[in-house]
Amino acid sequence: NDLCAEADIPVWHWHGDVAQSHKAKLMRHPSGILQITPESLEALLLHKHAAIAKLFGDLRFVVIDEVHSLLRGDRGGQTLCLIERLSRIAGVNPRRIGLSATIGDPEGTGEFLSLGTGRKTIIPKIDAKGSKWRLSMEHFYVKDAQAAEDKQIPDALPVLEEKTDDAPANADPGIGYIFEHTRGKKCLVFVNSREECEMVTTTLRHYCELNHEPDRFLVHHGNLSASYRETAEEIMKDDSQYMTTVTTATLELGIDIGQLDACVLCGYPGSIASTWQEAGRAGRDGLPSQCILLFSPQDIVINRFLLDHKENDDLDDEAADLLRARDNQRLQAMANYCQTTGCLRNYILRYFGEEPAEPCGSCGNCDREFEEVDMTAQAKWMINCVAETRGRYGKGVVLNTLRGANMA
């Protein structure tokens, strides 16, 4: 926006939070750059149909920022249909430009963007200075001692930052980890829903009260008012304030919040591309980008259930099966990432089609030693117990039976 202001190029916005006076001014004097979401574009085509030719009669470029986000599901095809519909109504054929830092198949994305235009695609090669990333996977038991508690790993790399606070007694292990490693830092904590966003923020603020500390956590999601979200964004831009914002995907794309010390992904982030995108927001003053994923196997089970029961009424059976298979493939890739004992950075690079020469030596898995334990016998006991009881009892009874507990 600052560059456009210097060049005297007007920048307009069109979405639910924009005042009607701003939209009316654009309608009277269409010019410059319009920033709009696919959903708002659809509403514009529906409610301002007669004004489309006037608004977009000189449209030359359509720039899709974070184009990889449109490749995850139906939204990409819907967006291209909206662009094609707009072009036909306005009688234009604008060039389409896709921007992304996390595209694994740029040629395929180029073909996707050029559909219906009759134009060829140019994919520029941009050589950027390499940066060091620290990726970490943290697993927690729901209660009692944690797996890595009081264990020393010989020859392990030093951690980037030791914990800077102590969580209250009996704190949730995962949320307590966030509390302990974000004090005195500027961080983002990504969660998967607005409800979880509110819950995690409330819990972290409660820990501040229990420790008699000032509140150092902000919240950001789509259900909040525009003024509330903008206040959080301005605070995060201020380099003198070390706050942590708990957010949904609203801060994943396109909003400038300055430099960050670390990103924490609280739960399954959806895909490897989302993990890479969210991790890419971290990194301050030349320091390595630090990204920590807090993972529970239940995340995979829940997401697989949701995919298996996803309704695709607008698709025929073959298309619905292809979409479901693609979504399950993406889910399995994320599950494998969460469970791998290999280099985390190399796993992501291979997902995007690169072949790294050696482990990075700086991710959480490269820092750790893993102990493989054969659990075949224990698994057989569990399966036999469930079979003998004919599935009539819950997991509590099954576990107590396996432990030899006297339940009489």
Side-chain angles (χ1 to χ4, degrees):
N1 287 349
D2 293 338
L3 288 174
C4 289
E6 290 182 16
D8 198 26
I9 300 174
V11 178
W12 307 90
H13 304 87
W14 194 293
H15 52 76
D17 296 330
V18 174
Q20 288 299 321
S21 59
H22 180 88
K23 295 178 180 178
K25 189 175 180 181
L26 169 63
M27 296 291 292
R28 291 192 300 270
H29 306 287
S31 58
I33 296 172
L34 173 62
Q35 294 182 333
I36 191 169
T37 64
E39 293 75 19
S40 295
L41 177 58
E42 184 173 18
L44 181 62
L45 289 170
L46 179 64
H47 299 297
K48 304 290 183 181
H49 182 84
I52 295 301
K54 177 185 175 182
L55 279 172
F56 299 103
D58 192 30
L59 182 63
R60 303 179 189 183
F61 301 96
V62 174
V63 180
I64 304 174
D65 193 18
E66 312 294 359
V67 67
H68 64 272
S69 65
L70 298 181
L71 305 178
R72 298 175 189 168
D74 304 338
R75 196 163 180 248
Q78 180 188 10
T79 301
L80 284 193
C81 288
L82 290 172
I83 295 172
E84 184 65 21
R85 182 180 167 195
L86 169 67
S87 301
R88 292 188 180 186
I89 295 174
V92 295
N93 187 17
R95 293 186 178 275
R96 300 173 186 176
I97 302 172
L99 306 176
S100 176
T102 55
I103 286 292
D105 181 15
E107 289 77 16
T109 305
E111 292 177 6
F112 173 77
L113 281 178
S114 65
L115 287 173
T117 65
R119 289 194 171 115
K120 295 182 179 180
T121 303
I122 297 175
I123 302 174
K125 302 295 183 182
I126 300 175
D127 294 325
K129 181 181 178 182
S131 60
K132 190 173 184 179
W133 285 41
R134 292 296 306 274
L135 303 171
S136 177
M137 190 83 61
E138 301 297 335
H139 299 258
F140 298 99
Y141 295 125
V142 175
K143 59 181 180 179
D144 301 327
Q146 299 301 313
E149 211 165 275
D150 299 325
K151 287 188 178 181
Q152 298 296 323
I153 301 174
D155 302 323
L157 291 173
V159 295
L160 270 182
E161 298 285 349
E162 298 286 352
K163 68 178 185 177
T164 54
D165 207 341
D166 291 306
N170 301 318
D172 176 270
I175 299 179
Y177 181 93
I178 296 172
F179 183 84
E180 292 179 340
H181 290 81
T182 54
R183 185 178 182 181
K185 303 177 187 177
K186 185 175 291 189
C187 306
L188 284 182
V189 178
F190 286 101
V191 297
N192 294 323
S193 68
R194 297 164 182 171
E195 294 78 10
E196 188 178 4
C197 191
E198 292 286 351
M199 183 275 291
V200 171
T201 306
T202 301
T203 304
L204 289 168
R205 288 173 171 171
H206 180 57
Y207 291 170
C208 287
E209 292 178 4
L210 292 177
N211 279 10
H212 306 289
E213 299 174 5
D215 181 18
R216 52 186 171 88
F217 296 97
L218 304 169
V219 62
H220 193 288
H221 59 73
N223 267 13
L224 298 173
S225 66
S227 59
Y228 201 102
R229 296 197 306 271
E230 289 167 2
T231 298
E233 292 162 17
E234 289 300 320
I235 292 174
M236 291 299 289
K237 285 181 185 178
D238 186 350
D239 287 336
S240 66
Q241 299 196 56
Y242 293 94
M243 302 288 284
T244 292
T245 298
V246 184
T247 180
T248 57
T250 53
L251 282 181
E252 179 184 336
L253 307 173
I255 298 178
D256 179 20
I257 53 171
Q259 294 182 315
L260 299 171
D261 292 296
C263 285
V264 181
L265 315 185
C266 190
Y268 168 70
S271 68
I272 298 294
S274 291
T275 303
W276 197 242
Q277 179 70 31
E278 293 171 359
R281 301 225 66 167
R284 282 173 64 91
D285 301 325
L287 292 175
S289 300
Q290 187 173 14
C291 178
I292 302 163
L293 172 59
L294 308 182
F295 166 72
S296 167
Q298 187 178 8
D299 297 332
I300 302 296
V301 175
I302 292 173
N303 278 274
R304 184 163 284 124
F305 175 84
L306 293 175
L307 288 180
D308 290 341
H309 293 80
K310 181 179 178 180
E311 295 183 359
N312 295 302
D313 296 336
D314 54 335
L315 301 176
D316 58 41
D317 291 342
E318 183 179 359
D321 289 341
L322 286 173
L323 179 61
R324 189 176 295 109
R326 185 190 64 188
D327 289 342
N328 274 296
Q329 186 179 24
R330 188 182 296 122
L331 174 64
Q332 190 58 52
M334 193 68 231
N336 293 342
Y337 174 80
C338 293
Q339 296 165 355
T340 184
T341 58
C343 175
L344 295 174
R345 175 181 175 272
N346 286 4
Y347 185 97
I348 292 178
L349 291 177
R350 289 192 183 98
Y351 179 85
F352 288 113
E354 297 186 30
E355 280 300 328
E358 58 187 15
C360 70
S362 60
C363 72
N365 281 6
C366 289
D367 287 355
R368 291 188 175 109
E369 284 186 353
F370 291 90
E371 179 182 357
E372 292 188 5
V373 180
D374 187 352
M375 301 294 291
T376 304
Q378 291 85 339
K380 287 181 177 179
W381 296 340
M382 295 179 188
I383 294 170
N384 288 337
C385 183
V386 173
E388 289 292 332
T389 57
R390 299 180 182 178
R392 290 176 294 179
Y393 303 103
K395 63 181 179 181
V397 173
V398 172
L399 287 175
N400 284 322
T401 302
L402 290 167
R403 289 171 177 165
N406 185 358
M407 303 297 292

